[in-house]
Amino acid sequence: MKKKIWYTYDDIHRVIKTLAEKIQASGVKYDAMIAIGGGGFIPARILRGFLGIPIYAVTTAYYDSEFQGKVTDSVKKIQWLDPIPETLNGKNILVVDEVDDSRVTLEYCLNEFAKENFGTVGIAVLHEKIKEKTGKLPEGMPYFSGVTVQDWWINYPWDAEDIDEHNRLAAESRD
Ligand code: G4P
Ligand code: MG
């Protein structure tokens, strides 16, 4: 079974502070974030405290579906900026998600955003998993991750049914 790790809200907040410092050090002034929900929502909100730029949002869902005995993965739009608000024309956009895992979702979203008339588009994720990536990011795109992590299953606090138990497991996994 895949190894698991638990992060608390405090862990997440600290990673986002580091992430914000990297984004600010890059010298590009981003005008707005586009959060990829659900996982990108809470990170984008915390990041706003450091960057002070507005949050726009899209939501996707990732499915493993079986078709004629073959498993394929695909990303679906649950909600989109359709059309992209005019105020974002030519603006520098930071795409925010919680985890860089297979990159399938990131590739899908970035391909969609590439059709738009943005300025610089950068990517910010909290956790960058070190592993083989299925999806590809556009060459030369600014990329920021708060921290690199092993290819373990991350339990995020916003998914917890019992936050005290979640925090206990997080403390235990730190020992
Ligand atoms: P990527 O492009 O950002 O690398 O994401 P990928 O398509 O590989 O991820 C598919 C789904 O699996 C995403 O959920 C992603 O958030 C989730 N995921 C990947 N690794 C982990 C992990 O270690 N822990 C948790 N909790 N989730 C993980 P999604 O379909 O976007 O759903 P949502 O939960 O963000 O709404
Ligand atoms: Mg997600």
Side-chain angles (χ1 to χ4, degrees):
M1 214 176 70
K2 200 162 183 176
K3 211 173 152 177
K4 295 179 187 170
I5 186 156
W6 286 259
Y7 292 123
T8 67
Y9 282 110
D10 286 3
D11 295 328
I12 301 287
H13 204 105
R14 288 187 198 99
V15 166
I16 293 175
K17 184 177 182 358
T18 306
L19 178 63
E21 285 163 0
K22 291 178 185 175
I23 294 162
Q24 282 161 334
S26 78
V28 176
K29 170 84 183 75
Y30 289 93
D31 299 299
M33 290 182 257
I34 299 181
I36 305 177
F41 289 159
I42 295 173
R45 176 61 185 87
I46 299 173
L47 197 52
R48 198 184 73 186
F50 296 100
L51 301 182
I53 57 176
I55 304 168
Y56 293 76
V58 297
T59 303
T60 59
Y62 180 87
Y63 294 100
D64 273 345
S65 46
E66 210 184 294
F67 180 68
Q68 296 182 342
K70 231 182 108 199
V71 177
T72 52
D73 22 79
S74 60
V75 181
K76 297 220 166 27
K77 286 177 179 172
I78 303 288
Q79 172 265 320
W80 205 256
L81 294 166
D82 205 6
I84 298 279
E86 286 222 354
T87 45
L88 294 183
N89 267 342
K91 296 291 169 67
N92 296 335
I93 300 297
L94 192 63
V95 176
V96 179
D97 209 347
E98 87 279 40
V99 62
D100 169 357
D101 183 40
S102 72
R103 292 194 175 160
V104 170
T105 300
L106 285 173
E107 180 185 77
Y108 176 85
C109 293
L110 292 165
N111 280 342
E112 289 297 288
F113 297 146
K115 299 172 188 165
E116 305 297 335
N117 180 30
F118 292 137
T120 299
V121 176
I123 309 159
V125 296
L126 311 188
H127 299 120
E128 175 188 2
K129 286 194 200 170
I130 302 304
K131 64 188 286 183
E132 282 280 323
K133 304 290 179 179
T134 309
K136 289 204 177 12
L137 304 182
E139 194 110 354
M141 181 170 277
Y143 175 92
F144 308 95
S145 70
V147 68
T148 57
V149 297
Q150 309 254 56
D151 185 16
W152 296 343
W153 183 257
I154 301 167
N155 290 286
Y156 286 100
W158 45 81
D159 284 323
E161 278 181 32
D162 179 341
I163 193 68
D164 299 307
E165 173 66 2
H166 176 98
N167 289 344
R168 196 188 61 73
L169 289 165
E172 211 177 77
S173 68
R174 259 193 288 270
D175 299 336

